[in-house]
Amino acid sequence: MLTRALTGLVVLVLAVTASGCVVVPQNRRRYLADPTMNPDILEDKARDKLHTSREAASGGNGQPAGGGCGCGN
Amino acid sequence: MFAALIAFAWASAAFAMFAPRAARADDGALGPRVAASNPPTATDAPPPLPSQENATADLDALREDDGGGFRVERVDFATAFFYQSGHGLQSQAGPIDGRGSERAWIIEPMALMRLRQSDEVVHDIVFTADIVSAASPDSLDAVAHASEYNESFTGEVTTTIQTSKEFSFGARYGAHAEEPLRSVTAGPILTFHLFDDNTVFTASATVIADGFDDLRIDGHDRGFLSRTTFSGNFAWSQILSATTLFSLSLGVTEQWGTLQQTWNSVIQYRAPNTDAPSVIRTGEKFPVTRNRNALEAHLAQHIPATHTTVKGRYRFYFDENDVMAHTTEVEVDQYIVPWLFLTARYRFHVQPANDFWVPYIVGPPKTAEEPRTSDSDLEAFTARELGFKLNLVREKAPAAFRDADSFTLGFTHYFRSNDLTVDMVIAGYGRSF
């Protein structure tokens, strides 16, 4: 429990610290909007299904872990 | 039926590909289309600046013309085909005291639609179907030909309401149905957009309620079981430079209920000095609760000079069954011409066996609740994955070929150290409106 709390604290401190370092204005985000920088959502879903149903580890990527499929992993 | 389903999905894609050109001419969207229908000429005098009141009234009038606001912004269709082969101790499709077959194929048509209800409200709708040969319980088919094919359907909607430039909230909700399982999902999402969207924090929670048939290893259905999953996720996304993106997410999941795969089996040898058969199969058993946690980091770097994007990902997972897994992934996207790029990906995953994984047991379990599994997915193994994909982006093509759509065609080869191989082919089409 303590480890989890510390992890959360470190993440929070990093987030607050780093977020103030640089602000990229919207008119300089051309490369960030490039198709190569964005995920292919449907392909990621297909691959996620493979990994969550055939490996012991799932969750942590903003999606729920476990449940929703007939597998016990 | 399967062919009809896939044909329907791709017919929809074909419709999206060709029909919108006619529809777009008279739909109610603002902006470029208004300008296109009334192109300015050199002799046109600039219109007088409207007063603020008149401008607001004009905007309201245009919104009313928009037909109530529901507008499709983007659709994507994809179909993935998986072919899986290998052997696992949990499967009965083989010798009674050895690894059984895990051979299966899966066809998975998917559709994604972004539907804008108003300036503030947007819905992302995902529909997925799975058609699985031999079903996941291939082992079960060896004793009861009850599930030669298994179909499943999932619908999931994420609704986002942008209340201000800095804050949005929403909900994710959906349902899943397949032959032995029904499931519903719901949960809230809160998002904070800070520093002109350079920093985005997202907190979300999800509850999943599953109900499923108690299919045992002998093929009999013993009733109805359930499990509940609560998942909390926190994500941080950060623009580090004009070419660099970073994100970090932390997920915690708690599960209660029947967590085992009720049809997975464990080899059971005869206990010494007994008259039982020398070897039989018994069912696997999991504890009734499980805590699982994961931390994941992504970094994406675009290199304008070479038209290349490099992405790295690391994921650390641990749960209370002593599984501590590491996953790393590297992806390179390289433009060949301005409208065509190639993706190459390598993924490596390593995990230990969970703390109650056994290759077999001797004699009956001491208690019915004693945890045990021989599932090859929970065994110690390393997994590698190689993938390639061609992406055609017509928005960047020469004028004669340009359009607002894109095509993808990909191949992925996944192979594990404990005798499992999965090949995946995926074809996709997307269009923005």
Side-chain angles (χ1 to χ4, degrees):
Chain A
M1 189 65 199
L2 183 65
T3 312
R4 279 185 223 161
L6 282 174
T7 307
L9 190 64
V10 169
V11 167
L12 193 64
V13 169
L14 275 174
V16 173
T17 309
S19 60
C21 292
V22 61
V23 173
V24 177
Q26 293 195 7
N27 61 0
R28 289 191 58 225
R29 296 185 199 164
R30 173 185 155 204
Y31 296 122
L32 300 177
D34 192 275
T36 57
M37 293 289 276
N38 295 304
D40 181 337
I41 295 171
L42 293 183
E43 190 201 21
D44 287 352
K45 269 198 171 292
R47 292 180 63 233
D48 277 352
K49 190 165 281 187
L50 164 65
H51 300 142
T52 55
S53 63
R54 304 291 350 211
E55 292 174 353
S58 60
N61 51 358
Q63 296 290 322
C69 74
C71 43
N73 303 336
Chain B
M1 180 192 168
F2 310 148
L5 194 66
I6 294 162
F8 173 75
W10 282 100
S12 305
F15 175 78
M17 203 184 312
F18 297 111
R21 285 175 202 162
R24 274 193 303 162
D26 58 5
D27 72 7
L30 305 175
R33 265 156 264 178
V34 174
S37 61
N38 297 293
T41 63
T43 56
D44 283 343
L49 287 173
S51 67
Q52 191 169 357
E53 283 180 10
N54 287 342
T56 307
D58 288 347
L59 272 175
D60 289 344
L62 283 168
R63 279 177 188 149
E64 281 174 15
D65 288 345
D66 211 12
F70 274 103
R71 182 160 58 90
V72 176
E73 286 193 338
R74 181 163 178 89
V75 291
D76 287 273
F77 299 92
T79 297
F81 174 77
F82 300 82
Y83 179 76
Q84 168 183 295
S85 61
H87 297 85
L89 285 170
Q90 81 283 2
S91 169
Q92 295 184 82
I96 193 168
D97 58 349
R99 290 177 181 267
S101 171
E102 296 192 75
R103 189 178 64 82
W105 54 254
I106 298 134
I107 299 175
E108 185 177 55
M110 297 171 280
L112 167 70
M113 180 168 70
R114 169 161 276 224
L115 187 64
R116 180 164 291 281
Q117 182 176 339
S118 67
D119 289 346
E120 297 82 21
V121 183
V122 66
H123 308 277
D124 290 299
I125 303 162
V126 180
F127 178 78
T128 309
D130 288 271
I131 300 139
V132 186
S133 82
S136 35
D138 196 10
S139 52
L140 194 60
D141 283 331
V143 291
H145 299 275
S147 52
E148 190 176 1
Y149 297 100
N150 187 317
E151 301 92 30
S152 76
F153 302 93
T154 306
E156 190 177 276
V157 181
T158 303
T159 296
T160 307
I161 302 166
Q162 185 90 36
T163 57
S164 69
K165 197 181 168 199
E166 291 82 23
F167 178 68
S168 65
F169 71 96
R172 179 163 48 208
Y173 42 98
H176 172 93
E178 62 182 85
E179 270 179 36
L181 183 141
R182 276 71 61 194
S183 177
V184 290
T185 306
I189 304 171
L190 305 176
T191 306
F192 298 89
H193 307 259
L194 306 174
F195 310 109
D196 195 20
D197 252 356
N198 276 247
T199 303
V200 178
F201 291 114
T202 303
S204 63
T206 310
V207 175
I208 304 171
D210 295 335
F212 47 94
D213 301 338
D214 185 9
L215 286 171
R216 298 293 179 88
I217 61 170
D218 57 5
H220 288 108
D221 183 348
R222 301 295 170 88
F224 189 76
L225 297 168
S226 66
R227 69 170 164 251
T228 306
T229 301
F230 172 80
S231 189
N233 291 281
F234 177 80
W236 165 37
S237 180
Q238 179 69 47
I239 294 176
L240 294 180
S241 77
T243 56
T244 315
L245 273 176
F246 173 74
S247 67
L248 188 70
S249 65
L250 179 69
V252 178
T253 297
E254 292 286 341
Q255 293 180 285
W256 305 269
T258 304
L259 304 181
Q260 67 266 18
Q261 186 95 286
T262 54
W263 55 71
N264 273 355
S265 68
V266 175
I267 297 168
Q268 179 184 321
Y269 287 108
R270 178 174 57 193
N273 306 316
T274 61
D275 294 330
S278 60
V279 56
I280 58 169
R281 293 270 181 164
T282 187
E284 72 173 16
K285 186 73 185 171
F286 278 40
V288 293
T289 62
R290 176 166 52 183
N291 165 264
R292 43 207 324 193
N293 311 275
L295 183 70
E296 185 167 327
H298 289 253
L299 186 69
Q301 175 69 51
H302 187 72
I303 306 166
T306 56
H307 308 291
T308 309
T309 295
V310 181
K311 295 176 192 164
R313 171 178 168 252
Y314 170 72
R315 185 162 183 280
F316 174 63
Y317 167 93
F318 64 98
D319 66 23
E320 66 179 330
N321 296 330
D322 284 352
V323 176
M324 197 174 282
H326 303 270
T327 308
T328 54
E329 189 172 309
V330 178
E331 179 181 309
V332 177
D333 301 279
Q334 178 63 54
Y335 276 99
I336 301 165
V337 290
W339 43 271
L340 182 71
F341 68 90
L342 177 68
T343 301
R345 183 190 305 117
Y346 176 74
R347 177 181 183 274
F348 178 76
H349 171 83
V350 58
Q351 67 175 55
N354 76 1
D355 58 2
F356 52 90
W357 190 91
V358 288
Y360 58 84
I361 58 175
V362 178
K366 293 180 186 68
T367 67
E369 303 306 314
E370 185 180 25
R372 57 191 179 272
T373 182
S374 295
D375 191 339
S376 65
D377 301 335
L378 303 178
E379 199 175 354
F381 65 76
T382 57
R384 291 171 173 81
E385 184 181 299
L386 273 172
F388 299 95
K389 193 172 61 159
L390 262 179
N391 310 265
L392 193 156
V393 187
R394 287 177 72 194
E395 288 171 26
K396 296 178 149 200
F401 184 53
R402 188 172 302 157
D403 209 337
D405 56 6
S406 58
F407 298 85
T408 56
L409 180 64
F411 172 73
T412 297
H413 179 62
Y414 173 92
F415 53 107
R416 284 195 335 209
S417 59
N418 67 338
D419 192 8
L420 186 89
T421 302
V422 182
D423 289 313
M424 180 183 90
V425 176
I426 186 165
Y429 170 77
R431 183 174 190 93
S432 299
F433 298 101

